[in-house]
Amino acid sequence: MNRRVGLVIVSHSAKLAEGVVELAQQMAPEVRILAAGGLPENGGLGTDLDTVSAALERADDGEGVVLLYDLGSAQMIAELAVEVLGDPGRAVVVDAPLAEGAVAAAVSAQGGSTLDEVADAAATATAFAIGETVDELFLGANGHDHGHGHDHGQPSSSGLVELDIELRNEIGLHARPAALLARAVAELDVEASVRFGDQEVSAASVLALMGLGARGGDTITLRAVGPDAQEALTRVAALAERGFDE
């Protein structure tokens, strides 16, 4: 199994931390995601340095760990745990909405991203949650031509390919299908986006894909550029054909 960046969810509530882990693990089954919530002596509300430090050690698969937290004092404990670790390059504490950040980071880690990239994915979830437009967040930064006027499935002069894909599963791009699509793209050397209606978002972002509101029977357009662009189209088309295994 390939080594991946791990995640630690630091919360005042053990149940909250475990719930976020359960959600994120569904999106990224091969990523080490550990809960560090509540007080060890009585299970009450609070955070504990030893608990967080132990989770940090167990979550490290050799590629580093991203820590996410719920409230301010949990941030302090998470940062202390990183400091105690003695190697600041092995872990990073990220300020992000707990559930959204965990999902975004988990999918990024599942795709083999670096520690900095996984941390950035969680930070991007913060921006998306506070209402910035998806165009500002995900498009236009890579310098690729995202224009129109080329044949579907065939590269344009810029190497851009695109394919219309019908969503065959009943619910469409809800959490699990969005995660599968994002994971399929994240594993490849490609820049990809999904268009639905007048919106276009990064194909690597679970939250942005869910935000499209595409339902079963709708048609999305996958657009990709890069060495693995055709493979990205093939993989996502196969997922949709199988109804995202639902």
Side-chain angles (χ1 to χ4, degrees):
M1 181 183 297
N2 294 330
R3 298 192 304 181
R4 292 176 171 84
V5 173
L7 302 179
V8 172
I9 308 302
V10 184
S11 171
H12 286 71
S13 166
K15 290 182 178 180
L16 176 57
E18 290 163 2
V20 172
V21 169
E22 181 182 14
L23 175 64
Q25 200 76 76
Q26 287 290 319
M27 313 294 178
E30 296 175 293
V31 176
R32 293 185 185 180
I33 310 175
L34 296 180
L39 298 175
E41 57 270 14
N42 57 14
L45 296 179
T47 52
D48 176 72
L49 178 59
D50 289 340
T51 299
V52 176
S53 294
L56 176 53
E57 289 286 356
R58 295 198 306 273
D60 191 357
D61 197 23
E63 297 299 317
V65 178
V66 168
L67 296 90
L68 300 167
Y69 60 91
D70 58 357
L71 299 173
S73 58
Q75 177 185 12
M76 180 184 69
I77 293 296
E79 290 174 344
L80 280 173
V82 173
E83 184 177 337
V84 170
L85 191 63
D87 183 359
R90 284 178 57 194
V92 59
V93 179
V94 178
D95 182 12
L98 194 57
E100 293 92 336
V103 168
V107 172
S108 180
Q110 179 70 31
S113 298
T114 66
L115 178 61
D116 286 344
E117 289 168 341
V118 174
D120 285 344
T124 298
T126 303
F128 187 80
I130 63 175
E132 292 187 27
T133 67
V134 290
D135 283 345
E136 290 171 335
L137 288 171
F138 303 115
L139 300 177
N142 54 31
H144 293 309
D145 173 16
H146 288 287
H148 302 278
H150 52 275
D151 294 333
H152 281 208
Q154 298 297 322
S156 69
S157 59
S158 66
L160 176 67
V161 294
E162 68 176 37
L163 183 67
D164 289 339
I165 298 172
E166 181 183 353
L167 300 177
R168 297 177 180 270
N169 60 316
E170 182 177 354
I171 302 179
L173 285 181
H174 65 98
R176 187 174 179 276
L180 290 174
L181 193 160
R183 278 164 46 188
V185 170
E187 294 168 353
L188 301 173
D189 185 4
V190 66
E191 295 287 344
S193 64
V194 171
R195 175 182 291 152
F196 178 62
D198 60 357
Q199 300 182 78
E200 187 169 1
V201 303
S202 169
S205 170
V206 176
L207 301 177
L209 291 170
M210 292 171 62
L212 288 173
R215 300 180 178 274
D218 288 338
T219 296
I220 60 174
T221 300
L222 178 67
R223 315 178 75 205
V225 65
D228 294 333
Q230 289 285 358
E231 177 64 17
L233 267 58
T234 299
R235 289 191 182 189
V236 175
L239 279 171
E241 181 68 25
R242 302 198 309 266
F244 294 93
D245 299 324
E246 293 191 325

